[in-house]
Each structure stands twice: as C-alpha cells, then as structure tokens.
Amino acid sequence: MPTSVTRCLGLLVFLLLAAGSNGAAAECQDAKSLDAYINCRIVEIAKATITQSTGAKQAETPSISADSTSLVDQSSASDLFAVALNLAGANANSSGLGVTPASVSASAYALYTSAKELNPLDPAIYSKYRDWRRVSFTLGKDAAPKGATNTGSAAIVGAKVLILNWRDASDPRYAKDFDHVTAKLQASAQNYANIASSIEDYLYQVLRPKMTVALGDVPTDPGKKIADKIKFLNAVSANPAAALQQLSLQQIADIDNIISTRIGPQVELIDSTRELVSRIRSAPQFSVAFQSSTGAPNGIDDYRGEAVLDRGVLSPRINLTLNSSFDQMHNKQTGVDMRGGRAAGEFQFQLNPTSETKLTNSRPWLLSLGAQGQWMTRLTPTYELQAKLTIPLFSGVDFPVSVSWANRTALIKESRVKGHFGFTLDVAKLLAAFKSAGAPAL
C-alpha cells in the first residue's frame, strides 16, 4: 500500500508540474499604455494578496503524529516553507519522553524559485508559477507512541498534491471577475475625481468671499479665477479645520448631497470586491496526500493515504475540512499488520472579523472543533474529539493550543485526555508581512 500510494502521488506531481504554468498571468511589461500597466500590476498584487492569506494552509505537523496539535489535515501547505514545533503535552499520557515532535514543510514552488533565483513574493512570479504551489513535502520527527517498550523517535515523511485549487485568485476561472472589478475601479477613480472637483467648486463659491482678508477680493475676470481658485485650495489645504468650521449646517448638507447623488460607482466597487474575495475564500479545495511515521523502536510504523477537502460554509469566516484515508499499521512488538480506514472532520471559525479597509485578515484568531473515527482490523474502533484555539503572535507565526479526548490508542485500550501546544511558522506570510511593513524586498 505505501509503495502504490507513493507511485500515484509521484505521477500526479509529474502531471501537474509538466503542465507547467501555461495559464500564466499576462506579463504587465507588454501593456500598451501606462494605465494598462498600472491596472495589470494592481490586479496581480490583489490576486497574490488574496491567495497568500487564504485559509486551509497547514503549517502544523501532519495528523499522523500522535502529538500533533492538528487532528485534521488541511488541503494545502505554506506557499514557501513552514515549521511546526509541538511542545510537551499537558498530561502524562503524552507519547515518548525526551523527544520534541517537529516538522518542516516546503512547497515545490519554493524549491523551484530558489533554484531559478526568482523572487517568490513577486506577484507576477507568484501567479505565473501557480502550479508549483500545488505540491508540498514534509519531513519531521515524531515521538514513539506511549506503550512502546523503548523510548525514541519516529521519522515523519509526507507529500501533498493539490488537485482542486479554487482558492487561488490567479486561477483563470476568476479572470473575468477581476476584469469586472478593474472596470469598476477605473469608473470609481474617475467618479472620485468628479466628486472632488464638484466639492472644490462649491467650497470656492461659499467660502471664498469670507477669505478676502487673506486672499483679497474675488476676481471678476474669468481668466484670473483659475489662479485664484488654486490659491484658495492651497489655503484650505494648509489649514482645513479652520476653513471647514465656517460651513453652515445647510452647506454641509449640500456637500453630503453632492456625494450621495454620485456615490454609486464607489459602492459598486466595494460590493463587487467583497463578493469576489468572499467567493474565492469560500471556494473548495481538494488534495491527496501520503504520510508515514516510521522507525520508532518497538513501536508502530504508520502509513496513510489521504483525501482532503476544504470548503467554506455559510460565511468565508467558517471553513469545513473533511479527511478520508486508508491507513496501514505495523506493530513491531507483535509483528501484526492492521489495515483500515479513517474519517475526520473539522469546523474552523475565524473569531475576529476582517478589517473593513483590508481584503483579508493576516492575523486571524481561529477556533477549531474536530472529530475523527478510525476503524482498523484487529483493533477496537478509535474515536477522538478535539478543540483547538490558534492564537496569532505575528502574521505567519501562530501558537496553537489543543485539547483532545480519545476512547483508546493503538497500543493502549483505555481512554485518554491530552492537551498540546506548540508554535508554527509560515515563511510566506511572515515575509509578506515584512514586505508590507516596508522591509526591503528579497
């Protein structure tokens, strides 16, 4: 089973990467005008921003580790690298002593851009080589399961291939949606200029006569009024509070009326942008994965071939993840092989809303409620429940804390409650945060 799963994953990886990035985003350098270039770059940066902060990117140790803070696997991994460190459990039933479970994940995109000396955070590169972000690999170490006669560690090996990747904003299926938003952005920009010009004309009409001491009499010559209006606007800009305090309630109402009668394009831009972002963040993702935890002295070699589905439900802030896997275990103490299936599900709730001024929330607080059942030959069925709170320490750096209950383990026929906590580092999100904060680009 492990060999066949590995071969299938290898074939999928080959097919995806062989397809390359023929659907790459248009090169902005080929734009026919400056406006077209600016619009192209706006769209590329927006796509990268939305995709990089999309949920369902797993940085935690794979679920095959008994000490992972994650009971359910997510459909995709970090765009670049992710590091997970699982610290000691909160009870004596944690697995092996003296071993700190940890893992490192890397995407094929990170390896490819490193080999080609490309900037992985460049929005054009990020969109052009989107298919390389579908594949990720994981290496790590796991503690020996409790019940093994010798303490020690096991090696974690994993690979994941993202088959359905509809949360990638650079997917060609969203091209017309971004064209639609871009058109509304252009209309909104022109409309803003018209609103600003109308308000400036109105202010000149009602406030300029009150500023004769500072600016002199209002000129009657139309040719001189243009220069006088510029002088007036400069004076207002120098001390806007003093000037605007001279407006009566009726004049303020007149200005509001200028805005409200022309605000349509701005409202349409905001609505269409939010609708598109919500649709992308709620879109389904589907992946297949292989995991193994092997080498623990007198413990269990564990292999897993898995299908993972992520889907937003009710709201972009609520994500449902489903796992279905075929598992095989080899008990080194008894020499017995066990085979069976596993089904798991998790609801993930984003507790803090996204800022009204941002497309995405780079530091979401996440509450996860999950459950799994495992049915293996020669073993009593195993059921487990988990509650987890993921606390963002910084964009890309999280502190997951989980508490779980299981009716038994593979080696011990008794229920147990355990708590785990750790740290995860998503390099892509961390670098994106540094870049947005003004740090030098890579």
Side-chain angles (χ1 to χ4, degrees):
M1 170 266 178
T3 301
S4 62
V5 172
T6 304
R7 287 176 178 172
C8 289
L9 278 172
L11 178 60
L12 285 169
V13 170
F14 174 77
L15 291 175
L16 281 173
L17 298 185
S21 298
N22 295 327
E27 296 290 345
C28 293
Q29 288 76 6
D30 295 334
K32 303 301 182 182
S33 67
L34 180 58
D35 284 344
Y37 171 79
I38 293 173
N39 289 332
C40 179
R41 291 299 290 177
I42 288 174
V43 170
E44 285 188 340
I45 292 172
K47 288 179 179 179
T49 300
I50 294 169
T51 305
Q52 287 167 358
S53 56
T54 295
K57 293 182 184 292
Q58 183 173 345
E60 295 167 271
T61 303
S63 64
I64 201 168
S65 168
D67 286 302
S68 175
T69 54
S70 178
L71 181 67
V72 179
D73 293 307
Q74 304 296 309
S75 56
S76 63
S78 169
D79 291 330
L80 298 178
F81 300 96
V83 179
L85 182 65
N86 301 329
L87 304 180
N91 64 83
N93 281 339
S94 294
S95 45
L97 300 175
V99 175
T100 301
S103 67
V104 177
S105 299
S107 68
Y109 173 74
L111 303 178
Y112 179 82
T113 53
S114 296
K116 294 292 186 177
E117 298 184 351
L118 301 173
N119 178 4
L121 295 184
D122 184 318
I125 299 298
Y126 189 82
S127 295
K128 183 175 183 180
Y129 299 106
R130 55 185 299 270
D131 287 332
W132 289 85
R133 291 186 273 111
R134 292 173 177 257
V135 182
S136 61
F137 309 94
T138 299
L139 295 175
K141 64 176 182 177
D142 195 10
K146 184 173 177 60
T149 56
N150 295 322
T151 59
S153 63
I156 297 174
V157 177
K160 186 180 295 182
V161 181
L162 193 55
I163 306 298
L164 187 65
N165 189 22
W166 287 357
R167 293 190 184 183
D168 189 332
S170 59
D171 190 298
R173 71 195 314 264
Y174 297 117
K176 290 184 178 179
D177 295 292
F178 277 99
D179 288 343
H180 182 66
V181 171
T182 300
K184 290 188 177 299
L185 174 63
Q186 293 172 328
S188 175
Q190 182 60 52
N191 188 62
Y192 175 83
N194 293 337
I195 291 175
S197 178
S198 296
I199 293 175
E200 289 171 355
D201 289 342
Y202 182 78
L203 291 176
Y204 181 74
Q205 175 186 341
V206 299
L207 291 184
R208 177 60 180 88
K210 299 179 182 181
M211 301 176 67
T212 55
V213 174
L215 302 179
D217 293 331
V218 178
T220 56
D221 184 351
K224 294 181 179 180
K225 278 194 174 183
I226 296 177
D228 185 67
K229 182 180 177 182
I230 294 174
K231 186 189 301 184
F232 164 78
L233 293 175
N234 288 336
V236 171
S237 298
N239 191 358
L244 298 177
Q245 285 173 2
Q246 300 181 55
L247 293 172
S248 68
L249 292 179
Q250 180 57 51
Q251 290 168 340
I252 293 175
D254 290 341
I255 292 175
D256 289 346
N257 186 58
I258 292 173
I259 296 174
S260 61
T261 56
R262 306 184 185 188
I263 197 67
Q266 269 69 26
V267 174
E268 290 178 6
L269 172 63
I270 294 171
D271 287 345
S272 59
T273 301
R274 286 178 178 169
E275 188 277 332
L276 177 57
V277 173
S278 296
R279 187 147 50 88
I280 293 173
R281 295 188 67 190
S282 300
Q285 284 194 157
F286 176 76
S287 65
V288 294
F290 169 75
Q291 305 171 15
S292 67
S293 176
T294 61
N298 296 316
I300 290 180
D301 286 343
D302 202 349
Y303 305 91
R304 174 171 294 167
E306 181 178 49
V308 183
L309 174 67
D310 275 292
R311 177 72 193 233
V313 292
L314 301 178
S315 158
R317 292 169 59 185
I318 304 176
N319 187 71
L320 171 64
T321 304
L322 299 175
N323 291 179
S324 177
S325 67
F326 176 77
D327 292 6
Q328 177 174 310
M329 299 179 180
H330 175 71
N331 191 326
K332 294 181 179 179
Q333 295 185 36
T334 62
V336 173
D337 286 331
M338 297 158 283
R339 297 178 178 86
R342 164 182 165 270
E346 178 182 79
F347 279 102
Q348 187 181 78
F349 305 88
Q350 180 180 314
L351 299 180
N352 54 331
T354 300
S355 169
E356 292 293 327
T357 60
K358 296 182 179 180
L359 293 177
T360 54
N361 192 338
S362 61
R363 299 179 63 183
W365 287 65
L366 303 176
L367 174 64
S368 305
L369 302 175
Q372 75 168 3
Q374 189 177 42
W375 302 269
M376 307 291 292
T377 58
R378 302 175 184 270
L379 286 178
T380 302
T382 302
Y383 303 100
E384 188 167 358
L385 303 174
Q386 184 187 76
K388 178 175 65 176
L389 179 64
T390 303
I391 303 170
L393 303 181
F394 187 74
S395 182
V397 182
D398 293 332
F399 180 69
V401 182
S402 66
V403 177
S404 61
W405 169 88
N407 66 321
R408 62 160 295 153
T409 66
L411 291 176
I412 299 179
K413 300 178 181 180
E414 63 181 38
S415 63
R416 56 107 171 97
V417 175
K418 67 175 182 178
H420 284 288
F421 60 94
F423 293 95
T424 63
L425 170 65
D426 187 323
V427 174
K429 292 181 179 179
L430 186 64
L431 292 178
F434 282 145
K435 183 178 180 181
S436 64
L442 294 177

